[in-house]
Amino acid sequence: MTGAVDYNSRDWHLDARAGEGKRILSLDGGGVRGLITLGILQRIEETLAPRYPGKPEEFRLCHYFDLIAGTSTGAIIASALALGMSVAEVTTIYTSMSSEIFRQTTEAWWRRMAGIPGGVYGEVYDSGVLASKLKSYLGDTTLGSPKLRTGLLICSKRIDTASPWVLTNCPRSLYWESPKREWRPNKDYELWRLIRASSAAPMYFEPVEVVIAERDDLYGEELGIFVDGAVAGLNNPGLQAYLTATLPPYGLCWPSGRDYLFEVSVGTGWWRNRQDPKPFMKSEAWRKAMTSMLGMIQDTSQNTIMMLQAMSEPRKPWMINGEVTNLRGHLSHGEELLSFQRYDASLEREHIERLFGAVHASPETMTKLRDIGSSDPDILKRLYAIGYASGRTTIPANDGIEAADFPAIFDPLGFNGARSTHR
């Protein structure tokens, strides 16, 4: 251990501290369904709070997790948590933002009334409202700000150079500084702008222009165009978070292994996006393309879960598919490369019926629950309730969220009076 324990210090969390375990929280994208994520996170916060050496009500997830990763809506939540907010505080802000951000633009509303599909001739939602809301909560806070109390990772896609962008607040990362000012150093990017870029979902929000290098006597101005990190295959940033934590070029250099790296991955709701063959083949080309793209996002997320479970032995493994099932007992390597646990909530009709009754699982309601952009207050409340309910344990060691899901070996020093068990 180097230095005193400071659960509110970014540097304390990012320090490799040889011989001690590290903890990652990874949050998927999914628009307003981020409320499902927040419901699950509330359960996690309640589970971990009793271990905190201070008052349980003062516990924050940034005290436990050393790196919080997010894409799109996951980036919004990850940033708020890294700034030291409680899940309840984030939920209040997030719900307020969602009710305004996900209102269709006037143009999109008229197109819908005319029967013109949303997103085909202009973005569905007002990007200016999203940017304004992010600015109002984050101000001029930068990626290098000491206000960030733990590690933060945000995923986006620079479309003009076909480059996935994975930015962290690690001072040892390659582009953190710019000694000759050839480019804008990562530490100087405004947090609101990075989140806006990460959540610029095609057809829903306008792409974002970001100044990469400013014009001066030596260099001309360079602009980058950014879209949602899901376009880079990073809607579920879980595998990228593992690579960022362990590969030397990213600067963290944390050790891997079952007893040294623990990752918790949280989704925004899942269901099998089945298509009736005949109507699908008769639909317009744009609809076929968009349906396929949304299916690709779901597939890349599922593939990420499969890879992480192939590298670990989760206490509650996630069902992948009928061929590989949940991979229990099947490692792609000779040993576990990390400890891993995935949480998500089912948005299948049968599950919603069990939670709330058949009247709340009509085809119209199910469509709204699965949409990434509802502003209906009842749907927003229901999404959070679905996430929170998914944390309820009905069969121990099988479902829900339990204290045993978080191995004591990964408790930070001082939690539950813990001393390092790795030395």
Side-chain angles (χ1 to χ4, degrees):
M1 170 94 182
T2 57
V5 175
D6 185 353
Y7 307 121
N8 288 306
S9 166
R10 175 204 68 182
D11 292 339
W12 183 83
H13 283 287
L14 295 184
D15 184 357
R17 296 194 302 281
E20 297 177 14
K22 304 298 291 182
R23 299 153 295 272
I24 299 172
L25 177 62
S26 171
L27 308 177
D28 290 10
V32 75
R33 295 201 315 269
L35 282 161
I36 291 177
T37 301
L38 286 164
I40 294 171
L41 290 175
Q42 184 63 50
R43 287 279 191 176
I44 294 175
E45 186 179 81
E46 292 170 357
T47 301
L48 292 174
R51 302 186 186 185
Y52 184 58
K55 297 178 181 178
E57 62 269 22
E58 295 176 349
F59 171 72
R60 302 290 184 266
L61 290 177
C62 68
H63 296 152
Y64 181 87
F65 290 102
D66 301 302
L67 179 66
I68 306 180
T71 298
S72 195
T73 199
I76 297 175
I77 298 170
S79 299
L81 294 176
L83 285 166
M85 294 185 191
S86 68
V87 176
E89 289 171 328
V90 181
T91 301
T92 298
I93 293 172
Y94 189 95
T95 303
S96 174
M97 287 178 57
S98 297
S99 63
E100 297 187 50
I101 291 169
F102 292 105
R103 289 176 180 166
Q104 289 190 351
T105 64
T106 302
E107 293 80 5
W109 186 87
W110 280 109
R111 288 195 297 271
R112 182 166 61 86
M113 292 297 99
I116 301 172
V120 175
Y121 297 110
E123 278 63 28
V124 176
Y125 304 111
D126 189 336
S127 302
V129 175
L130 173 58
S132 175
K133 286 297 176 183
L134 292 173
K135 287 181 190 177
S136 69
Y137 288 110
L138 298 170
D140 59 359
T141 303
T142 63
L143 190 61
S145 172
K147 294 179 183 178
L148 290 167
R149 302 184 185 184
T150 190
L152 176 65
L153 185 158
I154 296 176
C155 298
S156 189
K157 166 81 172 185
R158 185 175 173 185
I159 202 74
D160 59 304
T161 59
S163 305
W165 268 45
V166 179
L167 276 72
T168 72
N169 61 339
C170 175
R172 299 181 296 278
S173 57
L174 182 59
Y175 297 107
W176 186 253
E177 302 281 1
S178 179
K180 297 181 180 179
R181 301 299 299 184
E182 300 102 317
W183 62 81
R184 191 177 188 189
N186 285 357
K187 67 178 184 179
D188 288 350
Y189 284 112
E190 303 99 329
L191 204 51
W192 76 263
R193 198 182 302 275
L194 296 179
I195 297 171
R196 168 70 182 89
S198 180
S199 52
M203 301 181 74
Y204 292 98
F205 292 106
E206 286 276 2
V208 182
E209 283 189 354
V210 178
V211 176
I212 307 300
E214 298 174 350
R215 182 183 299 277
D216 60 20
D217 295 338
L218 294 176
Y219 305 100
E221 183 180 64
E222 180 183 353
L223 290 176
I225 308 299
F226 289 82
V227 294
D228 196 303
V231 179
L234 300 175
N235 195 63
N236 177 339
L239 183 62
Q240 180 61 59
Y242 168 82
L243 296 173
T244 301
T246 57
L247 291 177
Y250 291 107
L252 289 173
C253 301
W254 294 349
S256 61
R258 180 187 63 187
D259 296 334
Y260 294 100
L261 194 60
F262 176 42
E263 178 168 343
V264 175
S265 171
V266 183
T268 56
W270 65 272
W271 70 96
R272 291 192 68 178
N273 193 14
R274 302 171 179 86
Q275 301 297 318
D276 191 323
K278 289 184 178 179
F280 177 80
M281 291 305 295
K282 290 180 180 178
S283 63
E284 304 93 329
W286 72 266
R287 193 180 297 275
K288 291 191 185 81
M290 190 164 186
T291 301
S292 300
M293 183 183 74
L294 292 174
M296 179 185 69
I297 291 173
Q298 195 173 62
D299 290 343
T300 58
S301 176
Q302 195 78 335
N303 197 46
T304 292
I305 299 168
M306 180 168 69
M307 287 187 279
L308 287 167
Q309 291 191 176
M311 297 156 55
S312 63
E313 287 282 6
R315 185 169 188 258
K316 298 169 181 174
W318 193 256
M319 177 66 176
I320 307 299
N321 57 43
E323 182 176 13
V324 302
T325 62
N326 61 17
L327 291 177
R328 188 186 290 275
H330 298 285
L331 287 172
S332 61
H333 299 71
E335 59 184 13
E336 295 175 67
L337 300 182
L338 76 162
S339 292
F340 174 74
Q341 187 59 59
R342 171 71 173 182
Y343 297 114
D344 206 346
S346 171
L347 289 180
E348 297 285 5
R349 182 181 58 80
E350 296 81 3
H351 180 69
I352 303 304
E353 276 191 6
R354 285 195 296 271
L355 288 178
F356 304 110
V359 69
H360 297 293
S362 66
E364 180 183 5
T365 300
M366 292 307 303
T367 297
K368 290 181 178 179
L369 289 173
R370 294 172 178 178
D371 187 11
I372 69 168
S374 176
S375 59
D376 183 334
D378 182 63
I379 293 297
L380 300 184
K381 292 178 183 177
R382 192 63 51 82
L383 288 168
Y384 177 86
I386 291 169
Y388 191 75
S390 73
R392 184 183 305 129
T393 301
T394 58
I395 305 176
N398 181 74
D399 62 1
I401 296 171
E402 301 173 277
D405 296 349
F406 300 84
I409 196 172
F410 287 105
D411 279 356
L413 293 178
F415 274 52
N416 267 345
R419 296 180 181 275
S420 176
T421 52
H422 295 86
R423 292 183 184 273

